[in-house]
Amino acid sequence: ELGQLELAIAAFAKAENDSPDGRFPLASFSKGVLQMEFGEWQEAIDACTKAEIDSPEGRNPTASSNKGVALGKLDELQLALNAYTKAENDSAEGKHPVASYNKGELHLFLGRWHEAIACFRKAIVDSPDQHIPGAHLGLSQAFRSIQYAEQARIHAYVALHQDPRSILIVDELLKHYTSADTRPFYQARFAYLGVQLDEAARVPEQSKLNDELRTRLEEAADAEQHDLKLFWTLLLAANVAWPETIGYQDRLRLAYITSYLHGKPWYTFH
């Protein structure tokens, strides 16, 4: 697959070279996308810059937005913000929700709470269906940082409503908007999951949990670790076909967990 990606990059470069004046913005943009896949951030920046320059009036919002991502990876944060702003300005009616959202994330990282709020709000308003759960999560975090507790809570629950399967969103709710200590809750479920995986491992040709995840599971149970991401990873990555002998109550418990992972409300656990 890597060889095919490299061939694709070479093909896009050929398309550029074979075009009048070496200008083929779509090929340059596509080359940049693949270079980002390889983590070749500077090369991707160069490709996106070329796509911008070679486009009519120097406007290529998607290339500018991708350029912002690559610049962020190189810690060129102000240049990244500039690239996102260019993507917005060069878009129809100044609307580029992805660029606005990414700009908000950078401001959030930099602790610029009010700037982050403005960017996240713009991303939501400019989105055709106002469905950007990450922007609502960012608003929740920014409002919480400036002590606007009720606004933070509202946006956290809107984010959850829009994407109930997001690890980051659910973890935000559990950490900041539940009164109970969730550590014993997860410790008990780690232990329960371990028992079921042990049962599954006894069945010939059963899908097995890899050693790394098995070790993490055991460590989490021993340490009474509160780690929603690990719990989620174990359930999804294990891909265990549960034994036919599993009892009714255990099937019911697993059904509740599975329903949660497939988008049911977060309180399914409780």
Side-chain angles (χ1 to χ4, degrees):
E1 183 178 354
L2 289 179
Q4 291 177 338
L5 289 175
E6 290 167 342
L7 288 173
I9 290 174
F12 289 131
K14 185 178 189 309
E16 292 173 321
N17 295 333
D18 292 350
S19 298
D21 299 323
R23 296 182 177 183
F24 194 148
L26 180 58
S28 301
F29 167 76
S30 300
K31 184 172 70 171
V33 170
L34 291 182
Q35 287 165 332
M36 289 174 71
E37 291 288 327
F38 278 112
E40 297 174 350
W41 305 118
Q42 186 57 57
E43 291 82 353
I45 292 166
D46 294 341
C48 290
T49 300
K50 180 171 173 52
E52 290 175 323
I53 293 170
D54 293 347
S55 295
E57 299 181 356
R59 297 172 181 264
N60 193 320
T62 308
S64 299
S65 183
N66 280 8
K67 180 178 174 180
V69 173
L71 285 163
K73 293 292 185 179
L74 295 180
D75 291 328
E76 296 285 356
L77 302 188
Q78 187 56 54
L79 291 177
L81 289 170
N82 295 344
Y84 292 136
T85 299
K86 177 172 169 54
E88 291 173 325
N89 293 339
D90 290 350
S91 299
E93 300 180 354
K95 296 180 178 181
H96 196 304
V98 173
S100 299
Y101 168 75
N102 287 337
K103 190 160 70 165
E105 284 288 300
L106 276 185
H107 283 306
L108 194 67
F109 174 76
L110 293 169
R112 300 171 180 170
W113 314 123
H114 295 283
E115 292 87 341
I117 289 168
C119 291
F120 288 134
R121 281 177 166 167
K122 178 172 170 55
I124 293 167
V125 170
D126 291 350
S127 177
D129 57 2
Q130 285 76 56
H131 187 95
I132 306 185
H136 284 287
L137 176 61
L139 282 171
S140 177
Q141 293 167 336
F143 277 122
R144 182 161 45 78
S145 297
I146 59 174
Q147 308 301 313
Y148 280 49
E150 184 60 18
Q151 289 281 4
R153 186 187 68 81
I154 289 170
H155 283 288
Y157 278 96
V158 173
L160 181 71
H161 177 74
Q162 291 189 355
D163 187 2
R165 288 180 284 181
S166 166
I167 296 169
L168 295 176
I169 293 171
V170 174
D171 203 35
E172 180 80 3
L173 265 292
L174 288 172
K175 284 181 178 178
H176 300 289
Y177 303 103
T178 57
S179 57
D181 181 2
T182 56
R183 184 173 57 186
F185 171 86
Y186 282 102
Q187 191 273 336
R189 278 148 184 77
F190 280 133
Y192 167 73
L193 185 58
V195 170
Q196 298 305 327
L197 291 170
D198 286 339
E199 288 295 323
R202 294 192 183 100
V203 179
E205 300 181 359
Q206 194 80 37
S207 298
K208 300 297 194 304
L209 186 67
N210 69 47
D211 291 340
E212 179 185 355
L213 285 176
R214 165 67 67 183
T215 300
R216 289 172 63 192
L217 171 63
E218 292 171 351
E219 290 174 350
D222 291 342
E224 299 186 1
Q225 184 176 349
H226 173 182
D227 190 341
L228 176 63
K229 184 175 181 180
L230 173 57
F231 188 70
W232 181 292
T233 302
L234 288 164
L235 285 171
L236 292 183
N239 195 26
V240 172
W242 304 104
E244 291 295 328
T245 55
I246 190 172
Y248 166 76
Q249 288 187 335
D250 284 331
R251 280 190 182 278
L252 185 61
R253 293 185 185 108
L254 288 166
Y256 276 120
I257 294 172
T258 303
S259 69
Y260 169 80
L261 291 174
H262 284 82
K264 300 298 181 182
W266 72 280
Y267 52 76
T268 297
F269 271 144
H270 301 284

